[in-house]
Amino acid sequence: MLSDRLLAILACPVCGASALRLDVEEADGDVLVKGGLGCPDCKRWYHVTDDIPSMMPPELASSLKAADQTWAGWRIVMEEFLIWRDDVWSDPERAAERRESALQMHRAFLDFCELPDEGVCLEIGCGTGRLADLVGEGVWYCGIDPLPGGRSPGKNALPELMPMPSREVSLVQAVGEVLPFVNECFDIALIAGSLDHCRDPNAVLAEAARVLKPAGRLAVLQGLSRSGKEGGVLSRLRGLASQLAGVPDPSARKTHMRTYQAGEVEALLSGLFEIEATAEHSRRLFVRATSRGAGGR
């Protein structure tokens, strides 16, 4: 069943109203199999399936069907991402390699973050929510992702080898550009490798600032692209190697909306956050910042 803690901070992504009404249609023990959340102000209705509320903006259906051109291009890139992801996590050798490299990267990232032992944490672009296993046990974890629980549209199951969290998590189907939460309700916001998948990074960061409490912690992990001749040569070599091996390009370049070089991520954050520290780790940028406060909707 949806936790009282989650229900207390959820808000309508259209009008911003809170105190949403929960209706239970089908339950299996503690799991809300089928139900909904009703907005008391604009009367919109949001489906809940297997404890995951679907709180997408009106322009983007839970199936990821885009109602306007602003999301249509993002949808195409997301389809490329799902092809690449499902292929990686269906191959035992590639899955094992990726699982280990991701675990090492995320451990280094969270060590850098210096997160508190207690608090309320939001991850934007959480996938299955597996990062929850690496935050402190005293931290309540909530994750949002346009893929509910990491599942592809129309599919009930994940790739068999895809890692899952071992602790209880609260997940919401949503996008970072329109976070379905009340103002100033999180102590921590994590964006771990998903900023370059977002349609509008500026909107995502503005929303992160809105839902963070004053002086709340934002931590970003973002891959950096190589520029100039070095990047072009390496890109062509990776593509050739992939073609010869008969597998998708391991760099997954087609699955990103944009790329970032050193300095660009900090510039994005600087308008809304005080940057405390940065570091590079295996061509990944770590940024630790504090919210300046951005007011409400």
Side-chain angles (χ1 to χ4, degrees):
M1 202 66 64
L2 298 186
S3 71
D4 291 339
R5 202 164 189 176
L6 178 59
L7 288 172
I9 62 174
L10 282 174
C12 175
V14 175
C15 72
S18 57
L20 305 181
R21 186 185 75 252
L22 174 64
D23 286 348
V24 178
E25 298 180 36
E26 180 184 348
D28 183 3
D30 292 334
V31 177
L32 177 55
V33 178
K34 185 179 181 182
L37 291 166
C39 175
D41 288 3
C42 70
K43 311 305 179 185
R44 283 178 169 81
W45 182 257
Y46 301 97
H47 293 284
V48 181
T49 305
D50 296 333
D51 276 344
I52 301 178
S54 178
M55 307 194 72
M56 302 287 272
E59 303 83 12
L60 190 63
S62 59
S63 64
L64 303 190
K65 182 178 180 180
D68 61 27
Q69 291 301 312
T70 61
W71 285 102
W74 175 87
R75 164 67 191 260
I76 293 171
V77 176
M78 179 59 70
E79 290 173 347
E80 294 281 355
F81 166 76
L82 289 172
I83 293 171
W84 170 82
R85 186 201 68 173
D86 291 355
D87 184 78
V88 168
W89 290 112
S90 299
D91 181 279
E93 184 176 346
R94 296 173 72 196
E97 180 181 350
R98 186 161 185 84
R99 185 184 299 108
E100 181 59 29
S101 63
L103 180 60
Q104 293 180 12
M105 180 65 66
H106 288 152
R107 281 176 172 164
F109 172 58
L110 290 176
D111 285 345
F112 167 85
C113 292
E114 298 182 356
L115 300 183
D117 295 330
E118 297 181 346
V120 183
C121 175
L122 170 68
E123 184 181 2
I124 298 172
C126 66
T128 62
R130 65 187 184 275
L131 200 63
D133 288 345
L134 300 180
V135 303
E137 293 183 2
V139 174
W140 182 75
Y141 174 96
C142 176
I144 70 103
D145 199 284
L147 305 174
R151 296 189 297 272
S152 300
K155 295 184 179 180
N156 293 322
L158 290 161
E160 183 178 354
L161 300 175
M162 197 167 176
M164 299 288 293
S166 61
R167 61 177 280 188
E168 185 176 336
V169 297
S170 291
L171 302 177
V172 179
Q173 184 185 20
V175 293
E177 289 86 349
V178 189
L179 293 176
F181 302 106
V182 300
N183 300 334
E184 299 183 357
C185 59
F186 290 99
D187 301 291
I188 306 158
L190 304 175
I191 306 177
S194 60
L195 194 62
D196 51 359
H197 290 282
C198 298
R199 179 183 65 84
D200 186 346
N202 287 298
V204 172
L205 293 171
E207 280 287 86
R210 180 183 65 81
V211 302
L212 276 173
K213 297 176 183 178
R217 170 66 50 82
L218 173 73
V220 176
L221 183 164
Q222 179 55 55
L224 297 175
S225 66
R226 291 180 171 86
S227 60
K229 184 179 293 185
E230 177 191 12
V233 170
L234 288 175
S235 175
R236 287 191 292 273
L237 287 175
R238 283 194 298 262
L240 179 59
S242 299
Q243 292 176 21
L244 293 174
V247 298
D249 186 344
S251 69
R253 292 187 306 279
K254 293 181 180 180
T255 73
H256 301 274
M257 290 292 292
R258 60 190 49 79
T259 59
Y260 291 104
Q261 296 179 14
E264 293 179 338
V265 176
E266 297 97 311
L268 271 177
L269 271 62
S270 61
L272 294 169
F273 300 89
E274 293 287 350
I275 297 176
E276 296 180 349
T278 63
E280 284 195 32
H281 182 96
S282 301
R283 295 297 301 173
R284 304 297 194 280
L285 176 69
F286 298 168
V287 182
R288 188 172 71 238
T290 302
S291 174
R292 294 175 179 154
R297 280 192 173 127

